[in-house]
Amino acid sequence: MSFDLVLFGGTGDLAWRKLMPALFQAFRHGTLPTGGRIIAVARDDLSDEQYRSLIQSRFDSVDLAKRPSAEEFAQFATLLQYLRMDLSKTEDYQRLAELLNARGADSVVMYVATAPSLFTNVCEQIAAVGLNGPTTRVVLEKPLGHDLQSNQAINDTLRRVLKEEQVFRIDHYLGKPSVQNLFALRFGNALFEPLWRRETIANIQITIAEELGVESRGAFYDQTGALRDMVQNHALQLLCAIGMEPPINSSANAIRDEKLKVLQSLKPWTLESIGQHVIRGQYASGTHQGQAVPGYAQEKGVAPDSTTETFVALRTEILNWRWAGVPFYIRTGKRLAGRDAHIVINFRPVPHPIFKTPIGAANRLVINLQPKDGLELHLMAQGAAQHQTEPALSQVHLNLDFDQRFGAERVGAYERLLLDVIAGRLNLFVRSDEQEEAWRWVEPILQYWKNDPAGPRPYAAGSWGPRAASAMIARDGNCWSEDM
Ligand code: BG6
């Protein structure tokens, strides 16, 4: 199968940090279909050779194991071409059309890795020169809008010029092997399904903790905040994977229909529930790996009086037969105590205890997403204390380490997603109605915060976030996983 991959924003950060390394890995693994071209598009005046050298030099900052040898790069570079374009000029799209039409590849991928403000314009221009035919697929990175209205406006434009199945909205969390394993765990095993419900599960916690601060993205992040940057997309996609009903088959629409139902069933917010169940925080100065680090408001590009949240913790419920009454907690933030993304499924305690157990002991399934990747099943076992008159149990856990088991065979998120786009597989991409529903649900929180003079609560860099987040969950008699 021949393909042309047009990379708008070909000299940008995403192109050289994520996309080129991922394409190279696919090339090295032999999974990138042969007979492909990668056409990088940007404003700079570069020849193909200059562009190739630029990319080669960027590979110096890639992990050694993933860095091409000179010979490998020379082979990979034969796929790379460069096209100078001014994205506001129709005649430049005409030149692109000539380049693509001359070849007529089986699959044409337009990866729009530009500033979000250009997304709709690029799509309209592509259509204006007739490049929106059935072999074309358009890939869009988040953020697609900053609220429901702007997201709908983007989707309306896309619908005018493309069919839904031509649009590949990336949520890179769905490309992570650990997240795909969530689907495998739930729908490839009979073991958990009978237990996956309100009768046996007490509560569910989704944590995506980051150790880093905003790094060089202060100006962007200050307009965005953690709710838009992480909760509206990544965290809600994880919640969908945990909460959804088994789809009727593995087709993209069957999966997306079920995810949509979860989003539609999320408990609607009231002013009272937002006040009680949503905590926002902003990191103050603190430490990171033993070094003093500045607070968020002192970061480059951030307004000194910024009220942008770098942390969110919230409690919600899925209002359906399976989940009614089960709290789902979501927590994400920057500059937290560690980089750690995981999901904890806390099962209910035994109904009639005959053993002595540690306080609060119950079965628990921990799904580690990163940096660890695997499953831990916490069980009760009779340990060393056999001599006691009253039998006492202690907690043990079965530990399945997917990195150890599958290590070298695993495919990175962007590599997987790029191969899926080229092949036209939509399973791991987000449909417009899902995305809109997620915006609809977070929007009342954004509104509430706009009118709430209290602002985010400070937390020390290197901590687990504001104390209010622990108080919120403690009101239900629960605690976050690090305190279990
Ligand atoms: C991105 C956010 O979508 O995800 C970033 O914009 C965040 O702010 C990143 O750091 C986290 O991704 P990962 O793969 O490092 O967990």
Side-chain angles (χ1 to χ4, degrees):
M1 186 194 59
S2 60
F3 73 90
D4 277 336
L5 192 157
V6 182
L7 188 50
F8 294 94
T11 52
D13 198 57
L14 189 73
W16 64 261
R17 238 171 9 93
K18 298 274 188 199
L19 305 180
M20 283 298 169
L23 286 164
F24 170 69
Q25 285 308 310
F27 175 77
R28 180 185 259 178
H29 294 148
T31 46
L32 193 65
T34 48
R37 287 192 299 188
I38 300 167
I39 304 166
V41 166
R43 260 171 175 274
D44 315 56
D45 193 5
L46 298 173
S47 65
D48 288 350
E49 269 321 309
Q50 284 170 321
Y51 183 72
R52 289 171 188 152
S53 312
L54 179 79
I55 293 300
Q56 186 168 22
S57 65
R58 296 298 194 190
F59 270 110
D60 291 346
S61 49
V62 166
D63 283 353
L64 203 55
K66 297 192 170 169
R67 210 179 289 168
S69 66
E71 197 182 322
E72 278 180 314
F73 187 80
Q75 286 170 2
F76 177 64
T78 59
L79 309 184
L80 301 182
Q81 292 187 17
Y82 182 79
L83 182 70
R84 182 184 180 198
M85 278 180 68
D86 178 338
L87 294 184
S88 62
K89 290 203 177 130
T90 308
E91 58 267 32
D92 283 12
Y93 289 86
Q94 218 88 51
R95 285 194 295 120
L96 175 66
E98 282 160 28
L99 182 69
L100 297 175
N101 294 339
R103 181 147 181 270
D106 300 329
S107 160
V108 178
V109 176
M110 308 278 187
Y111 202 119
V112 193
T114 62
S117 56
L118 298 175
F119 288 173
T120 48
N121 190 255
V122 170
C123 293
E124 283 171 321
Q125 295 272 20
I126 289 170
V129 297
L131 281 177
N132 57 342
T135 53
T136 296
R137 289 156 196 155
V138 174
V139 187
L140 296 167
E141 279 284 337
K142 69 181 247 294
L144 248 65
H146 54 272
D147 57 11
L148 178 61
Q149 203 189 1
S150 53
N151 179 252
Q152 282 174 327
I154 294 173
N155 283 333
D156 285 347
T157 307
L158 295 177
R159 266 181 223 116
R160 275 201 300 279
V161 295
L162 296 160
K163 296 207 166 64
E164 177 67 41
E165 57 273 19
Q166 291 179 283
V167 185
F168 289 67
R169 294 176 189 78
I170 288 221
D171 182 311
H172 79 282
Y173 266 61
L174 293 178
K176 289 179 189 277
S178 55
V179 176
Q180 282 155 51
N181 250 318
L182 259 183
F183 292 92
L185 172 80
R186 289 210 50 210
F187 307 127
N189 294 284
L191 189 64
F192 293 109
E193 172 52 26
L195 307 177
W196 214 255
R197 55 194 65 249
R198 62 189 304 282
E199 288 80 2
T200 24
I201 292 181
N203 65 79
I204 292 180
Q205 302 182 10
I206 299 172
T207 295
I208 312 177
E210 295 188 86
E211 230 178 340
L212 295 177
V214 286
E215 305 296 287
S216 56
R217 294 161 78 227
F220 159 79
Y221 194 88
D222 211 29
Q223 302 299 316
T224 309
L227 190 71
R228 291 185 174 99
D229 190 44
M230 298 295 287
V231 176
Q232 187 273 339
N233 33 71
H234 308 321
L236 284 184
Q237 285 292 328
L238 294 180
L239 181 136
C240 285
I242 291 291
M244 69 196 265
E245 292 301 312
I248 54 166
N249 57 37
S250 63
S251 71
N253 275 339
I255 294 169
R256 296 175 334 162
D257 287 346
E258 296 307 334
K259 286 196 288 166
L260 177 64
K261 284 187 213 159
V262 173
L263 294 166
Q264 289 168 333
S265 320
L266 288 176
K267 191 170 186 173
W269 294 110
T270 60
L271 292 182
E272 199 191 354
S273 67
I274 297 176
Q276 275 186 6
H277 294 147
V278 185
I279 307 296
R280 60 175 161 160
Q282 186 188 81
Y283 64 83
S285 57
T287 54
H288 167 60
Q289 297 181 344
Q291 302 286 322
V293 288
Y296 173 73
Q298 287 83 55
E299 300 275 17
K300 195 160 159 266
V302 172
D305 57 352
S306 172
T307 57
T308 299
E309 80 288 357
T310 60
F311 174 97
V312 179
L314 61 82
R315 174 200 196 278
T316 186
E317 285 174 38
I318 300 175
L319 303 184
N320 64 15
W321 271 40
R322 187 187 285 268
W323 293 119
V326 177
F328 280 73
Y329 304 102
I330 291 177
R331 172 176 65 151
T332 184
K334 293 203 182 280
R335 279 278 185 249
L336 295 181
R339 176 168 183 258
D340 184 2
H342 63 264
I343 300 171
V344 181
I345 317 283
N346 283 310
F347 291 92
R348 293 189 189 281
V350 293
H352 175 63
I354 59 167
F355 295 110
K356 202 168 146 201
T357 52
I359 294 168
N363 295 132
R364 185 184 318 146
L365 176 67
V366 181
I367 305 167
N368 287 315
L369 302 174
Q370 66 183 28
K372 279 195 287 184
D373 179 0
L375 299 174
E376 288 168 31
L377 185 58
H378 296 233
L379 303 167
M380 297 298 150
Q382 182 80 61
Q386 307 263 357
H387 56 278
Q388 292 181 0
T389 44
E390 195 182 357
L393 302 185
S394 45
Q395 281 187 316
V396 291
H397 64 268
L398 284 171
N399 193 353
L400 200 54
D401 181 337
F402 290 150
D403 276 327
Q404 209 175 45
R405 173 67 182 77
F406 301 116
E409 303 157 34
R410 313 207 88 187
V411 169
Y414 272 96
E415 181 181 350
R416 168 72 202 255
L417 294 174
L418 281 161
L419 290 172
D420 280 359
V421 183
I422 293 170
R425 284 189 295 264
L426 276 159
N427 295 31
L428 300 178
F429 296 84
V430 181
R431 205 167 58 188
S432 59
D433 49 4
E434 276 179 80
Q435 205 172 48
E436 286 176 21
E437 203 54 51
W439 275 117
R440 189 169 288 120
W441 186 73
V442 297
E443 193 144 273
I445 306 176
L446 294 169
Q447 286 300 332
Y448 182 100
W449 285 348
K450 215 154 84 185
N451 302 321
D452 174 19
R457 295 163 196 265
Y459 61 95
S463 70
W464 277 109
R467 272 197 297 274
S470 303
M472 184 267 287
I473 184 169
R475 282 201 294 274
D476 290 340
N478 296 322
C479 61
W480 294 109
S481 47
E482 69 274 9
D483 297 323
M484 283 173 188

